[in-house]
């Protein structure tokens, strides 16, 4: 693992330009926790590969974030309650989880205030949590979270969830017919869990360390949401 960290650090310490191709190739096989936050920022495009204007760009982003209104009493109350439950669930994650609920409140509050047509969902906590866990700066947490939300929103608005669930069920019946039949016989509400699995990248369903490892790969490839249904099938096959 030390050799792997060294390979990541060699790329991240480049003075002029981050080699994104090499970074993606490495990240597909997993990112060490020590550098995961920095790697994700480049993979998501939050940090530009060209480092010549890095300090200026970073200052502009931080200034922008600091000027975003974050207060939203109703949202803060709901986020705070959900974060308590989330932190209790994630207490066994490797390392020390950031116990400061203010980061969740600020980041999600800022996102909601910038996107007033978006309805709050408890799933936001689960989608934000990995960034809170592995990124030190609150503004960077915000920009990574909003970038992921933009990716999901674009895909979810383009491809109807009911159609995606129907397509997934066709694959499910073809690949694991016995399990699919069992679920139907037991009257398991397949639409309910399949919708969550497909829309939110398993943020609520996977163990925390497994989720971050999966996202290492997802953030490093061009079509993670196209791959995602097959990952879900793989999980069902494994269990």
């Amino acid at each position: 693992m030390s050799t792997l960290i060294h390979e990541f650090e060699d790329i991240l310490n480049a003075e002029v330009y981050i080699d994104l191709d090499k970074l993606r190739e490495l990240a597909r096989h997993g990112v060490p926790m020590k550098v995961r936050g920095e790697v994700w920022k480049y993979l998501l495009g939050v940090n530009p590969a060209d480092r010549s204007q890095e300090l200026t760009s970073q200052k502009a982003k931080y200034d922008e974030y600091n000027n975003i209104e974050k207060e939203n009493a109703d949202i803060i109350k709901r986020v705070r309650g959900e974060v308590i439950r989330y932190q209790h669930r994630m207490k066994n994650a490797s390392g020390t989880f950031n116990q400061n609920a203010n980061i969740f409140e600020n980041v999600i509050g800022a996102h909601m205030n910038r996107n007033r047509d978006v309805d709050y969902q408890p799933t936001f906590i689960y989608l934000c949590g990995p960034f809170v866990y592995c990124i030190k700066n609150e503004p960077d947490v915000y920009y990574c979270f909003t970038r992921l939300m933009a990716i999901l929103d674009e895909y979810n608005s383009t491809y109807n969830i009911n159609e995606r669930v129907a397509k997934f069920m066709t694959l499910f019946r073809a690949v694991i017919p016995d399990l699919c039949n069992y679920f139907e016989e037991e009257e398991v509400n397949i639409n309910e869990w399949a919708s969550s699995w497909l829309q939110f990248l398993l943020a609520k369903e996977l163990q925390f360390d497994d989720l971050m490892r999966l996202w290492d790969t997802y953030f490093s490839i061009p079509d993670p949401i196209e791959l995602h249904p097959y990952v879900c099938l793989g999980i069902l096959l494994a269990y």
Side-chain angles (χ1 to χ4, degrees), residues 142-206:
Y142 168 77
Y143 286 108
C144 285
F145 172 69
T146 56
R147 175 57 183 151
L148 176 59
M149 291 300 298
I151 293 170
L152 295 177
D153 288 346
E154 180 180 0
Y155 194 88
N156 291 334
S157 63
T158 303
Y159 299 96
N160 181 277
I161 185 58
N162 293 328
E163 294 176 358
R164 290 167 62 193
V165 170
K167 181 178 179 181
F168 177 75
M169 289 307 304
T170 299
L171 291 171
F172 188 16
R173 290 190 182 94
V175 176
I176 326 174
D178 292 344
L179 182 59
C180 186
N181 290 336
Y182 174 76
F183 279 10
E184 291 176 345
E185 290 169 4
E186 294 297 318
E187 298 183 351
V188 175
N189 189 336
I190 296 176
N191 284 340
E192 182 177 343
W193 63 261
S195 295
S196 177
W197 282 34
L198 293 173
Q199 288 186 93
F200 305 118
L201 302 185
L202 297 168
K204 293 181 66 175
E205 289 79 17
L206 285 183

Side-chain angles (χ1 to χ4, degrees), residues 35-97:
V35 295
R36 178 173 274 134
E38 287 299 306
V39 170
W40 280 6
K41 286 189 287 183
Y42 286 105
L43 296 180
L44 288 168
V46 171
N47 281 4
D50 184 350
R51 305 192 68 180
S52 61
Q53 300 295 320
E54 184 175 65
L55 292 179
T56 303
S57 173
Q58 185 179 70
K59 183 180 185 305
K61 286 191 303 181
Y62 285 13
D63 288 345
E64 178 189 40
Y65 176 72
N66 290 332
N67 288 324
I68 298 173
E69 176 61 42
K70 302 171 184 66
E71 291 295 326
N72 187 320
D74 178 57
I75 296 300
I76 287 176
K77 182 178 180 180
R78 297 169 71 181
V79 167
R80 189 167 296 166
E82 192 66 36
V83 166
I84 292 172
R85 292 186 287 273
Y86 177 76
Q87 290 175 334
H88 178 73
R89 177 181 171 183
M90 300 304 168
K91 64 183 178 181
N92 294 323
S94 63
T96 302
F97 195 83

